[in-house]
Amino acid sequence: MTNTASLEADYFGLESRWLETAPGENTHYHDLGDGVPVVFLHGSGAGVSAAANWWLNLPTLAKGVRTIAIDLIGFGQTQVPDDVQYGIREWGDHVLRVLDGLGLEKAWLVGNSLGGWVAMQLAIDHPERVEGVVSMGTGGAPRKTAALSSHAKPDVTPAGIRAVLEDFVVDPTLVTDQLVDARYNAALVPNAPERFASVIAARERDRSDMPLTDADLSALPMPVLLIHGREDSVIPPERSWRLAGLIPDVELHLFANCGHWSQVECADRFNTVVGDYLAARTSSGA
């Protein structure tokens, strides 16, 4: 483990694991609990990692299911070869390599923002590998306005990370100095600014070139839970209302007084909603 991963672990309190998922690709992840496997996919903010998205959720949800949270290629501490390519399907393929490496035929997917988009696209492309999806503030739609355009211009500095995180929440006091420092330390990997610029460019390219389509969403065969913060200014809640009108087996939960970071800002309520949903939809949820 690198020193920066140690600094991150000190704050988030999650044990690091590593899995060789391809030549030159060493995936950093966290694995807690037993039972039905549930893979957690983070969003794409500066200094993002699996731990930085899910540290308030994994220990609680792991009481009922097996929680596996990965650093997607291009993010966190996952190591990648020099010729790595990024994009929605490339991130989905990385998830499949993790499932294969862990010997898992199928899993639930829980995704936040970009992670929700990756989860939905993977469910569309490989429904045989996905038991169900939980998605918060789902990405994958063309950007309609210039609002929050700074999110497409990476600023991997403490000030830049703070600015993005404060856009994620209604209550800015949640963005503490310790949290900003932990996110910044998580971003201190070789060539971090260049790598982050590459993954954000790939995200913006695919937002235009291959957004989630109505036809594909309408054909999803697995259960889907959508979660959204009513005050989300990054991806407005109308996004989830629209998805809920397309997906056949869908439930939608809207949190009041909550922004884009529902799993952090409403952690206790989030854990209850997701835990109850998984318990109702799986044989080993508690």
Side-chain angles (χ1 to χ4, degrees):
M1 183 190 299
T2 66
N3 185 48
T4 54
S6 298
L7 290 168
E8 180 191 34
D10 289 343
Y11 180 86
F12 296 116
L14 297 174
E15 179 184 356
S16 288
R17 299 194 184 193
W18 301 87
L19 179 68
E20 185 177 3
T21 43
E25 182 181 279
N26 200 19
T27 297
H28 179 248
Y29 73 107
H30 312 282
D31 195 340
L32 292 76
D34 298 295
V36 172
V38 182
V39 176
F40 289 72
L41 307 176
H42 57 72
S44 57
V48 75
S49 66
N53 253 214
W54 308 112
W55 89 100
L56 295 176
N57 317 115
L58 300 183
T60 298
L61 294 174
K63 296 174 183 177
V65 294
R66 180 181 178 186
T67 61
I68 303 161
I70 69 175
D71 288 353
L72 291 166
I73 53 172
F75 296 97
Q77 301 300 319
T78 289
Q79 300 161 0
V80 297
D82 292 338
D83 61 350
V84 65
Q85 299 295 311
Y86 300 119
I88 293 303
R89 285 200 165 95
E90 285 78 10
W91 287 311
D93 288 344
H94 179 219
V95 176
L96 293 180
R97 293 194 293 274
V98 171
L99 294 181
D100 291 342
L102 295 175
L104 300 174
E105 182 180 351
K106 300 183 74 170
W108 279 78
L109 303 177
V110 178
N112 174 49
S113 197
L114 173 74
W117 180 9
V118 173
M120 291 288 197
Q121 190 63 57
L122 185 56
I124 290 166
D125 293 340
H126 296 280
E128 75 282 359
R129 305 297 301 270
V130 179
E131 291 280 9
V133 174
V134 178
S135 182
M136 305 94 71
T138 310
R143 191 182 298 279
K144 293 183 178 180
T145 71
L148 300 173
S149 59
S150 61
H151 288 228
K153 300 174 183 178
D155 179 7
V156 189
T157 66
I161 289 172
R162 178 179 293 279
V164 169
L165 294 185
E166 288 182 349
D167 281 338
F168 284 177
V169 296
V170 173
D171 180 5
T173 64
L174 292 171
V175 184
T176 63
D177 291 343
Q178 293 88 345
L179 176 58
V180 172
D181 289 345
R183 292 274 296 223
Y184 181 60
N185 288 328
L188 293 180
V189 295
N191 303 314
E194 295 82 4
R195 187 180 73 166
F196 190 49
S198 295
V199 298
I200 296 304
R203 183 195 68 185
E204 295 304 299
R205 177 202 68 215
D206 284 353
R207 187 198 302 277
S208 298
D209 293 353
M210 50 174 300
L212 296 170
T213 70
D214 291 2
D216 286 337
L217 292 166
S218 298
L220 281 174
M222 69 285 294
V224 174
L225 171 64
L226 300 173
I227 294 176
H228 221 116
R230 189 183 63 188
E231 284 73 33
D232 189 342
S233 61
V234 179
I235 298 177
E238 289 79 10
R239 169 67 169 161
S240 283
W241 282 110
R242 189 172 191 284
L243 294 177
L246 293 169
I247 299 168
D249 185 357
V250 66
E251 296 182 23
L252 170 60
H253 192 99
L254 191 70
F255 287 118
N257 303 310
C258 184
H260 190 58
W261 222 11
S262 58
Q263 78 276 19
V264 173
E265 191 162 24
C266 308
D268 290 343
R269 289 183 288 159
F270 175 91
N271 292 339
T272 297
V273 169
V274 174
D276 288 350
Y277 183 81
L278 291 173
R281 294 288 186 151
T282 68
S283 59
S284 65

